[in-house]
Amino acid sequence: DADVTQTPRNRITKTGKRIMLECSQTKGHDRMYWYRQDPGLGLRLIYYSFDVKDINKGEISDGYSVSRQAQAKFSLSLESAIPNQTALYFCATSDLARGETQYFGPGTRLLVL
Amino acid sequence: QKEVEQDPGPLSVPEGAIVSLNCTYSNSAFQYFMWYRQYSRKGPELLMYTYSSGNKEDGRFTAQVDKSSKYISLFIRDSQPSDSATYLCAMRTNTGNQFYFGTGTSLTVIP
């Protein structure tokens, strides 16, 4: 089984809708991250969490919110989706013992119409 | 200026060639350097991890860090069609919480 899983893998939604992307991990890492990937822009950090009670904004948090339900679960919400949020979204965990090397999930491809 | 610059390619080489992939960066405080490989429609997977300067070798892959030039490289020897993917560099400081990623270089190895 994959160490970092994301659901759904693909999602099409309409402008103004609220959607949630979910991430689960079995690696036992405390730190979890949400990124988006756009062509030509690379990976950009949206939010990160160092434990259940610690949530931090990343480079591009506007329009997004997160919830850390447990050590193993970290969800990303788009409160009111807009077409500009069409992207590939990745969840990641990090291994503190290896310089916080990141381990990524398979990604969620989101299309906002 | 971006924190990390990476030539997007695409790069196309024949099977068996030596491939050189590179990133430059502007923040002299970066200490942790990683290379990731990303296949189409997949998440990035860690290839190499290096702390500070020097070389690190793992099979056909060699990572080099030149902090004086703010330049890192990934070399792939005896390239295989299965190496066809996008390669991302990433780095961070000792105390920073954020990784900075390059935009990725697309590589195709032709049989």
Side-chain angles (χ1 to χ4, degrees):
Chain A
D1 287 340
D3 295 317
V4 183
T5 58
Q6 292 183 235
T7 56
R9 294 295 313 278
N10 295 279
R11 179 74 184 268
I12 299 174
T13 191
K14 294 182 178 179
T15 297
K17 294 291 187 180
R18 182 180 190 276
I19 67 162
M20 179 182 290
L21 309 182
E22 299 185 340
C23 176
S24 294
Q25 55 113 347
T26 58
K27 299 189 75 68
H29 294 159
D30 288 327
R31 302 186 173 195
M32 298 186 72
Y33 306 77
W34 275 104
Y35 291 90
R36 64 178 279 177
Q37 187 176 40
D38 300 274
L41 295 178
L43 283 160
R44 292 182 291 168
L45 183 63
I46 305 172
Y47 270 96
Y48 61 100
S49 169
F50 285 175
D51 64 40
V52 174
K53 296 181 181 179
D54 178 76
I55 302 289
N56 303 280
K57 292 182 177 180
E59 181 185 355
I60 53 163
S61 59
D62 287 348
Y64 301 94
S65 63
V66 292
S67 173
R68 185 81 183 266
Q69 300 93 328
Q71 188 215 30
K73 295 184 181 297
F74 193 34
S75 300
L76 175 72
S77 293
L78 284 66
E79 299 302 325
S80 178
I82 59 175
N84 181 261
Q85 292 176 314
T86 292
L88 188 53
Y89 289 85
F90 288 104
C91 174
T93 70
S94 68
D95 185 350
L96 195 57
R98 298 186 73 196
E100 296 200 54
T101 303
Q102 312 250 289
Y103 296 88
F104 288 85
T108 294
R109 192 168 295 273
L110 175 66
L111 173 61
V112 183
L113 300 174
Chain B
Q1 183 187 6
K2 286 184 180 178
E3 296 271 5
V4 180
E5 299 279 358
Q6 185 175 9
D7 187 337
L11 187 61
S12 184
V13 301
E15 183 174 354
I18 296 174
V19 177
S20 172
L21 303 167
N22 311 294
C23 287
T24 58
Y25 60 93
S26 57
N27 188 345
S28 59
F30 285 145
Q31 291 279 22
Y32 293 92
F33 304 93
M34 286 81 169
W35 284 97
Y36 288 85
R37 177 175 61 196
Q38 185 176 18
Y39 291 115
S40 181
R41 298 186 176 274
K42 301 284 187 182
E45 58 178 330
L46 181 68
L47 269 180
M48 302 286 285
Y49 154 65
T50 310
Y51 176 73
S52 193
S53 284
N55 295 357
K56 188 171 185 178
E57 188 173 323
D58 184 1
R60 296 184 295 110
F61 298 90
T62 299
Q64 285 187 352
V65 175
D66 181 350
K67 295 190 72 182
S68 63
S69 301
K70 298 194 185 96
Y71 189 88
I72 68 171
S73 301
L74 178 70
F75 297 97
I76 307 174
R77 290 184 300 279
D78 187 27
S79 56
Q80 302 295 309
S82 58
D83 295 327
S84 298
T86 295
Y87 291 79
L88 302 161
C89 62
M91 49 198 80
R92 77 168 182 91
T93 65
N94 263 335
T95 55
N97 297 321
Q98 182 172 341
F99 275 94
Y100 294 88
F101 285 84
T103 52
T105 299
S106 175
L107 171 68
T108 300
V109 180
I110 302 168

